Amino acid sequence: MTEEEMWQAVLRNDAEYDGIFFYAVKTTGIYCRPSCKSRPPKRENICFFENSEQARQAGFRPCKRCRSDLIDYQPMKQIAEHVKRKIETLYREQAKLSEEVNGFGVTERRIADIFKDEYGMTPKTYADKLRLDKAKQFLIKTDMKIIDIAYSVGFGSLSAFYRFFEKEMGITPSEFRKSHPI
Ligand SMILES: [Zn+2]
């Protein structure tokens, strides 16, 4: 994560970053979580910490307002949850998804490791699972054309969708649909 990204999170009081980092205000000697609603400090007066322990060791006191001393220190878990939410909202837009995940400031490989520790599969496997589940739903419950299904679950072409589906299911999408009459 870049300092700029952390700073933007502070300005937005973004609770999604709580536990991932803390910021401290040099002029007050207090450290906060990103979602703290206290008046935004000046950019030049703040510094960032990965956890509240580091902030305390650097001589800062926890904020009474956001109780930055109480938050669980589980940054890895939170990164994994954050990525999981992104996948769930963006799995049908692959380009946007990888852009968002890259924008998180942790290498893709590191994210894959963190995610796998938490959920037992890579982000790609998870996104594929969501795509497949959604495609199966469309095939069984709607009469959408297969090409439209392919696009709506995030594939750029019908052939890419067929390859993916056959690999996962062992049969083609049309065979799958035939074997599950509405
Ligand atoms: Zn605070």
Side-chain angles (χ1 to χ4, degrees), residues 23 30-33 36-38 63 65-68:
Y23 71 96
I30 286 178
Y31 72 93
C32 288
R33 44 171 113 185
C36 186
K37 300 280 194 294
S38 58
C63 171
R65 187 159 180 185
C66 65
R67 295 307 305 264
S68 44

Side-chain angles (χ1 to χ4, degrees), residues 3 12 21 24 36 39-40 42 44 64 81 86 92 104 113 120 134 139 144 146 156 175 181:
E3 288 216 344
R12 287 195 307 273
F21 74 90
C36 186
R39 219 153 50 85
K42 287 203 177 107
E44 64 264 32
K64 288 204 171 68
E81 282 172 4
K86 289 279 182 219
R92 291 189 267 177
F104 205 59
D113 287 346
K134 193 77 192 167
L139 287 166
M144 271 170 82
I146 292 178
E175 284 165 351

Side-chain angles (χ1 to χ4, degrees), residues 139 162 165-166 169-177:
L139 287 166
Y162 261 78
F165 196 93
E166 265 195 283
M169 299 297 296
I171 52 174
T172 65
S174 45
E175 284 165 351
F176 180 81
R177 178 172 259 172

Side-chain angles (χ1 to χ4, degrees), residues 69-93:
D69 50 335
L70 292 185
I71 193 163
D72 287 344
Y73 172 50
Q74 296 182 302
M76 295 306 139
K77 190 172 165 43
Q78 301 219 13
I79 288 175
E81 282 172 4
H82 188 85
V83 171
K84 185 163 180 277
R85 278 197 298 273
K86 289 279 182 219
I87 294 172
E88 282 159 4
T89 48
L90 292 172
Y91 71 95
R92 291 189 267 177
E93 301 167 74

Side-chain angles (χ1 to χ4, degrees), residues 5-32:
E5 188 183 358
M6 293 192 275
W7 170 236
Q8 292 303 326
V10 169
L11 290 178
R12 287 195 307 273
N13 299 329
D14 193 336
E16 282 204 13
Y17 289 83
D18 280 1
I20 296 176
F21 74 90
F22 293 83
Y23 71 96
V25 185
K26 291 169 195 160
T27 44
T28 60
I30 286 178
Y31 72 93
C32 288

Side-chain angles (χ1 to χ4, degrees), residues 108-176:
E108 211 169 314
R109 195 174 178 163
R110 182 83 186 103
I111 284 185
D113 287 346
I114 294 170
F115 195 91
K116 204 167 172 194
D117 280 350
E118 192 65 28
Y119 302 112
M121 62 179 99
T122 64
K124 185 182 178 312
T125 308
Y126 183 58
D128 282 349
K129 182 187 166 326
L130 295 177
R131 280 180 203 118
L132 183 67
D133 288 350
K134 193 77 192 167
K136 277 155 66 179
Q137 268 181 32
F138 282 145
L139 287 166
I140 296 174
K141 297 191 176 146
T142 73
D143 54 6
M144 271 170 82
K145 285 187 192 148
I146 292 178
I147 184 147
D148 294 333
I149 295 175
Y151 289 132
S152 70
V153 298
F155 289 89
S157 71
L158 187 61
S159 58
F161 176 59
Y162 261 78
R163 271 200 304 279
F164 167 79
F165 196 93
E166 265 195 283
K167 189 168 141 264
E168 297 286 331
M169 299 297 296
I171 52 174
T172 65
S174 45
E175 284 165 351
F176 180 81

